[in-house]
């Protein structure tokens, strides 16, 4: 009987071993499902959190107007974001990317709570803390997504470039839809004309936003762990070693050449949030129209992110896609600078919506391509590379929020046009540098 039992047990173990590859995660992976499933959950979690936050951010410059509280709070937020992003990569390494994502959501919840009682004593501390947690969540996002994409490519013998493009396309497409969903909620609850609705409507709006964030946090908790602390522990054995790791990408001329485009991507995002909504949409459509205009912007962003992600296969495709986005935004900037003036009637109402759609295409391009390129070019120091992304991006955003209340629309448009020309030229030089290095190696 003992021999028969051992034989049956051996047969069962052999059968289990044969079944394991079909069900279990790849070797060294501690999750409960596939890499692609993790990206689906990550994308859905960000959808809920940022549908609330992005819609709230779009309204700050038009709702919290006393003493420019909303605009100044966002300037403080992105200044804090810039400062803390410098040291975000070792924090993410220490926490692990999953825990960094969960911890990072706490700042967004506090920011929404502060908007329920918007004063200098609530908004400023909440903005400072959100700057810290935002640096963690975004470095964690870039690290987590890149790790999932590269692991998926290796486990399935797929090329890394298209896999990174597809994963980034899905994430940024879902993320861009936050502008559609969040702003449609705003449009529904702040529908009482150009005054932006009642105090009760605004309170209800932020309570709904809070509920969305709770759902997003719950989804974050379902993510599989992708901690790489064991591999990175020697890197941060001392403060000096930690600083060397943080600044390592800055010693690479490829990072120096891509930084201008990173900074411009921040400028063009802040332009929509602080300038487009206040100076172009509100005079024509009112505060209640901000939600509709930003929903159009978000819809274009979604489509472009998904398409750009699918078309990304490497540096050549990225160059073509970035060129399209840069040209479209250049057309918008020069048209606003030289020809635009607010108009009445149906045509006047359609113009801000059309501008939002074109700008959303550019934003979708920059988000997908920058994330994919950083994942490809800086795989060995991806946490530090994504920290640099957020340092320069959030610093540029802070500049717009602090400048916009104090300078004219024309001056901001000139600044944006100059930044676009410089950043696009630097990006084209980056493509030449990378191609030359590949030619030399071959």
């Amino acid at each position: 009987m003992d021999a028969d039992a051992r034989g049956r047990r051996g047969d069962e173990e052999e059968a289990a071993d044969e079944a394991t590859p079909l069900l279990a995660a790849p070797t060294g992976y501690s999750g409960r499902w596939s890499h692609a499933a993790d990206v689906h959950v990550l994308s859905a979690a960000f959808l809920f959190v940022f549908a609330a936050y992005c819609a709230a951010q779009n309204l700050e410059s038009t709702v919290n107007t006393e003493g420019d509280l909303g605009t100044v709070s966002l300037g403080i937020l992105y200044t804090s974001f810039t400062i803390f992003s410098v040291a975000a990569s070792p924090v993410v390494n220490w926490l692990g990317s999953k825990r960094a994502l969960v911890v990072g959501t706490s700042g967004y919840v506090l920011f929404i709570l502060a908007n329920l009682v918007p004063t200098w004593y609530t908004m400023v501390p909440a903005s400072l803390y959100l700057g810290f947690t935002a640096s963690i969540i975004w470095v964690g996002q870039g690290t987590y997504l890149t790790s999932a994409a590269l692991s998926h490519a290796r486990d399935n013998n797929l090329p890394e470039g298209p896999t990174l493009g597809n994963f980034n396309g899905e994430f940024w497409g879902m993320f861009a839809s936050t502008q559609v969903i969040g702003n449609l909620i705003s449009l529904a609850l702040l529908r009482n004309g150009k005054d932006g609705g009642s105090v009760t409507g605004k309170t209800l709006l932020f309570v709904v936003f809070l509920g969305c964030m709770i759902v997003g946090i719950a989804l974050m908790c379902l993510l599989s762990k992708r901690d790489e602390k064991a591999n990175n522990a020697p890197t941060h054995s001392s403060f000096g070693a930690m600083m060397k790791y943080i600044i390592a990408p800055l010693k690479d001329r490829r990072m120096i050449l891509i930084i201008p485009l990173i900074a411009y991507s921040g400028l063009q995002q802040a332009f929509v949030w602080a300038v487009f909504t206040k100076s172009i949409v509100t005079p024509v459509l009112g505060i209640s129209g901000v939600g509709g205009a930003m929903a159009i912007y978000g819809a274009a962003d979604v489509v472009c992110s998904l398409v750009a992600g699918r078309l990304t296969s490497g540096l050549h495709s990225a160059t073509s896609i970035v060129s399209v986005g840069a040209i479209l935004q250049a057309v918008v900037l020069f048209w606003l600078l030289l020809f635009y003036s607010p108009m009445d009637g149906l045509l006047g109402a359609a113009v801000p919506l059309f501008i939002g759609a074109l700008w959303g295409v550019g934003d979708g391009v920059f988000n997908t391509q920058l994330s994919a390129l950083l994942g490809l070019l800086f795989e060995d120091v991806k946490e530090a590379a994504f920290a640099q992304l957020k340092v320069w991006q959030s610093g540029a955003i802070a500049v717009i929020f602090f400048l916009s209340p104090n300078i004219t629309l024309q001056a901001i448009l000139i600044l944006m046009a100059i930044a676009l020309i410089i950043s696009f030229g630097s990006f084209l030089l980056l493509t030449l540098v990378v191609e030359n290095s590949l030619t030399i190696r071959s």
Side-chain angles (χ1 to χ4, degrees), residues 379-397:
E379 181 181 350
D380 294 336
V381 287
K382 55 181 177 292
E383 294 92 348
F386 282 104
Q388 292 295 330
L389 170 68
K390 290 304 170 184
V391 166
W392 297 98
Q393 203 172 58
S394 56
I397 291 171

Side-chain angles (χ1 to χ4, degrees), residues 148 160 172 198 300 316 324 346 372 436:
E160 292 181 349
W172 288 110
S198 64
H316 287 290
V324 171
L346 183 61
N436 288 338

Side-chain angles (χ1 to χ4, degrees), residues 162-217:
T163 305
L164 274 166
N166 289 337
F167 276 40
N168 274 288
E170 176 185 335
F171 175 84
W172 288 110
M174 188 79 85
F175 182 81
S177 66
T178 61
Q179 292 286 358
V180 179
I181 297 171
N183 288 297
L184 286 177
I185 294 173
S186 297
L187 182 64
L189 297 180
L190 300 178
R191 60 184 181 276
N192 296 333
K194 294 196 174 186
D195 62 350
S198 64
V199 173
T200 303
K202 294 172 187 175
T203 301
L204 177 60
L205 177 64
F206 282 100
V207 169
V208 171
F209 288 165
L210 190 61
C212 290
M213 288 195 171
I214 292 172
V215 175
I217 293 171

Side-chain angles (χ1 to χ4, degrees), residues 299-441:
D301 207 332
V302 170
V303 174
C304 181
S305 296
L306 293 173
V307 172
R310 290 292 178 183
L311 294 177
T312 302
S313 59
L315 186 63
H316 287 290
S317 62
T319 303
S320 301
I321 295 168
V322 169
S323 299
V324 171
I327 290 169
L328 285 177
Q329 290 201 349
V331 169
V332 172
L333 287 172
F334 284 106
W335 181 58
L336 288 174
L337 189 60
L338 300 175
F339 305 111
Y340 177 74
S341 62
M343 296 181 291
D344 295 325
L346 183 61
L347 180 61
V351 168
L353 304 181
F354 181 64
I355 292 173
L358 290 180
W359 205 262
V361 171
D363 186 63
V365 162
F366 296 130
N367 283 331
T368 55
Q369 301 311 298
L370 282 172
S371 295
L373 285 171
L374 289 175
L376 281 173
L377 298 177
F378 303 97
E379 181 181 350
D380 294 336
V381 287
K382 55 181 177 292
E383 294 92 348
F386 282 104
Q388 292 295 330
L389 170 68
K390 290 304 170 184
V391 166
W392 297 98
Q393 203 172 58
S394 56
I397 291 171
V399 167
I400 293 295
F401 279 123
F402 281 125
L403 284 180
S404 60
N406 303 308
I407 64 175
T408 65
L409 175 61
Q410 295 290 99
I412 290 181
L413 292 172
I414 292 171
L415 171 66
M416 293 288 297
I418 293 172
L420 176 56
I421 292 169
I422 293 173
S423 62
F424 186 56
S426 179
F427 175 74
L428 292 179
L429 184 57
L430 168 68
T431 62
L432 293 176
V433 168
V434 174
E435 286 179 352
N436 288 338
S437 64
L438 292 175
T439 302
I440 292 172
R441 289 177 187 174

Side-chain angles (χ1 to χ4, degrees), residues 67-238:
D68 286 320
L69 174 61
T71 303
V72 172
S73 295
L74 291 175
I76 292 171
L77 189 164
Y78 283 99
T79 301
S80 172
F81 193 174
T82 303
I83 294 169
F84 284 114
S85 290
V86 174
S89 56
V91 174
V92 172
N93 271 328
W94 177 63
L95 287 173
S97 55
K98 176 188 173 178
R99 282 191 290 272
L101 290 166
V102 175
V103 171
T105 57
S106 63
Y108 293 91
V109 172
L110 184 62
F111 186 78
I112 295 298
L113 288 172
N115 272 277
L116 290 171
V117 189
T119 69
W120 291 100
Y121 299 105
T122 59
M123 293 297 294
V124 171
S127 297
L128 285 169
Y129 179 65
L130 177 53
F132 166 66
T133 57
S135 69
I136 294 173
I137 197 173
W138 279 111
V139 173
Q141 177 273 330
T143 302
Y144 194 96
L145 184 63
T146 299
S147 174
L150 295 178
S151 297
H152 183 77
R154 283 191 291 266
D155 294 341
N156 295 279
N157 296 317
L158 298 172
E160 292 181 349
T163 305
L164 274 166
N166 289 337
F167 276 40
N168 274 288
E170 176 185 335
F171 175 84
W172 288 110
M174 188 79 85
F175 182 81
S177 66
T178 61
Q179 292 286 358
V180 179
I181 297 171
N183 288 297
L184 286 177
I185 294 173
S186 297
L187 182 64
L189 297 180
L190 300 178
R191 60 184 181 276
N192 296 333
K194 294 196 174 186
D195 62 350
S198 64
V199 173
T200 303
K202 294 172 187 175
T203 301
L204 177 60
L205 177 64
F206 282 100
V207 169
V208 171
F209 288 165
L210 190 61
C212 290
M213 288 195 171
I214 292 172
V215 175
I217 293 171
L219 288 172
M220 293 277 193
C221 294
L222 297 178
L223 289 170
S224 305
K225 281 189 175 182
R226 291 185 177 274
D227 297 350
E228 299 175 356
K229 291 186 287 185
N231 296 331
N232 294 324
T235 308
H236 305 138
S237 57
S238 68

